[in-house]
Amino acid sequence: MRSEIIEVMNELLDEYVKAEPLNALLKSFIADKAAEHSIWGDITEYSHRMLGGESPFIREIAALTELLILTLDIVDDVQDRDNMEKPWMRCPQEQTINAILAFLMGFMGKLGQLVEHSPQTVPMIQETARIVSRAIDGQHKDLLGHCVESEQDYIAVVQEKSGSLIRLACYMGGFDAPQSDAAAIRLMNELADCIGIMAQINNDVKDVQRYDLKNDLLHKKRTLPILYMLAHCDGKFPALKLFYEGNMSTEQFLRHKPECLAFVADSGCIEYCRIIQSLYYNRAEELFSKIPGRSPWKEKFRETTFASYALDS
């Protein structure tokens, strides 16, 4: 995350959060996020500039994207009870809830200010709410677990949960951009869903190869590689289906660590996921070629969002 984005985020907190202890807590959350390789603000700025935008407020818009994504990340961690090393997981939960509310109010207040400078972007507030609501729908289905029984279910949930975050960053970049018309937005939305799917598959492949508390298998999640393994485990690793059906405890399943990791490596689930990922990469390239864009911003957008998946296609 660029230093100027961090500066804007902290300035926003000073404007909207006057209580010093809460202000300091929120800034510690931002500092933690800033230490990561966060690309959300970059996606917003590159979307804006490749679509012909020259808004003097694009830095503020990019900071708002980072702020909202951080808020959703915090909510996700609180729900999943993982990433326990994060400051928002180490502090009392009631303080984290206040932090979430403060971030949301700051986001809404600042976005309202920016829209005042450009009345034609008033629909931006409603559309932003729709995109975030779509992401929440996907997250809730993911929490319920039973909503994913097939590859089609998985893709649908990932489009909502992960694709919506990319949509958000891109849509925020459309602020006052001359080429951000209805046709461009439709293309960007589908492209965002493709990027979200590729990114989630990548994460799920990594998660299934680890055998600690972050492993999706131990939480009985039904990700794309796990769906494949469940369909091919009979006779090869029956403990997996026994565990998922509730006929084996977590403690018993943990005793099968060597066999589980071997099955993950030999089942073909990783290769299968890479094939599916390559299909969405090809579709992303097709969509991207149809989107108007200025250099070097269009190239920067591609490099930041989905160019790396070409290595796996």
Side-chain angles (χ1 to χ4, degrees):
M1 191 187 302
R2 302 196 307 276
S3 59
E4 60 267 27
I5 299 296
I6 300 169
E7 181 182 350
V8 173
M9 293 170 76
N10 286 330
E11 288 174 355
L12 184 151
L13 293 183
D14 290 338
E15 181 178 356
Y16 284 93
V17 182
K18 302 301 182 182
E20 181 55 37
L22 182 56
N23 184 291
L25 183 67
L26 297 176
K27 286 180 178 176
S28 74
F29 292 178
I30 290 173
D32 183 90
K33 186 67 173 178
E36 300 178 1
H37 179 58
S38 185
I39 61 173
W40 302 104
D42 290 340
I43 294 175
T44 292
E45 181 172 354
Y46 298 158
S47 298
H48 180 76
R49 299 198 185 282
M50 81 175 190
L51 293 174
E54 294 288 351
S55 172
F57 304 109
I58 189 56
R59 188 178 67 164
E60 286 80 1
I61 291 290
L64 285 180
T65 300
E66 290 281 5
L67 188 71
L68 189 52
I69 296 292
L70 170 57
T71 306
L72 295 173
D73 283 346
I74 294 171
V75 171
D76 185 70
D77 287 345
V78 170
Q79 291 173 336
D80 291 344
R81 304 304 302 169
D82 57 8
N83 280 341
M84 299 305 293
E85 76 283 356
K86 292 296 184 181
W88 48 83
M89 298 302 294
R90 295 198 306 266
C91 72
Q93 191 172 63
E94 60 270 21
Q95 294 185 25
T96 299
I97 292 172
N98 269 345
I100 291 168
L101 292 172
F103 276 144
L104 288 174
M105 294 305 103
F107 173 86
M108 291 170 61
K110 192 65 177 180
L111 184 60
Q113 286 181 23
L114 292 170
V115 168
E116 288 178 2
H117 295 288
S118 184
Q120 67 267 32
T121 61
V122 169
M124 183 179 182
I125 296 178
Q126 292 97 323
E127 186 59 26
T128 299
R130 290 189 190 97
I131 294 171
V132 174
S133 295
R134 182 177 185 255
I136 294 170
D137 285 346
Q139 172 67 4
H140 193 69
K141 290 174 183 175
D142 188 51
L143 282 174
L144 294 176
H146 61 76
C147 294
V148 176
E149 297 292 341
S150 66
E151 178 185 318
Q152 291 74 23
D153 294 338
Y154 169 87
I155 294 298
V157 169
V158 170
Q159 284 177 324
E160 291 181 342
K161 181 183 174 182
S162 302
S164 293
L165 301 185
I166 307 290
R167 280 194 186 195
L168 174 68
C170 294
Y171 186 78
M172 294 287 282
F175 179 85
D176 266 358
Q179 293 178 292
S180 184
D181 56 17
I185 290 173
R186 282 195 298 271
L187 289 169
M188 291 289 283
N189 281 345
E190 187 179 348
L191 174 62
D193 281 352
C194 289
I195 295 170
I197 290 167
M198 287 186 282
Q200 190 62 55
I201 290 175
N202 211 50
N203 289 340
D204 292 342
V205 166
K206 290 178 181 177
D207 284 350
V208 82
Q209 294 179 82
R210 56 193 295 173
Y211 213 81
D212 55 24
L213 293 177
K214 283 283 288 178
N215 188 301
D216 288 335
L217 286 166
L218 300 182
H219 295 280
K220 295 186 179 180
K221 291 189 174 182
R222 294 179 182 271
T223 63
L224 190 63
I226 293 173
L227 287 169
Y228 183 91
M229 288 191 292
L230 285 169
H232 296 83
C233 67
D234 292 338
K236 298 179 181 178
F237 186 54
L240 180 63
K241 189 165 288 187
L242 289 172
F243 177 57
Y244 266 72
E245 291 175 347
N247 297 315
M248 179 181 288
S249 69
T250 301
E251 292 73 20
Q252 290 172 318
F253 186 68
L254 284 169
R255 295 176 194 149
H256 293 273
K257 178 178 179 178
E259 301 97 309
C260 183
L261 291 175
F263 182 62
V264 170
D266 300 337
S267 66
C269 71
I270 297 173
E271 293 79 2
Y272 169 74
C273 287
R274 295 308 182 200
I275 291 171
I276 300 301
Q277 196 176 46
S278 70
L279 296 177
Y280 283 96
Y281 174 83
N282 292 336
R283 179 57 178 161
E285 286 283 29
E286 180 183 352
L287 292 164
F288 190 65
S289 68
K290 299 176 182 178
I291 296 171
R294 297 186 304 171
S295 294
W297 306 107
K298 188 171 183 179
E299 292 77 12
K300 286 179 178 288
F301 178 93
R302 181 182 179 279
E303 184 66 28
T304 301
T305 55
F306 71 95
S308 63
Y309 299 116
L311 300 176
D312 300 318
S313 62

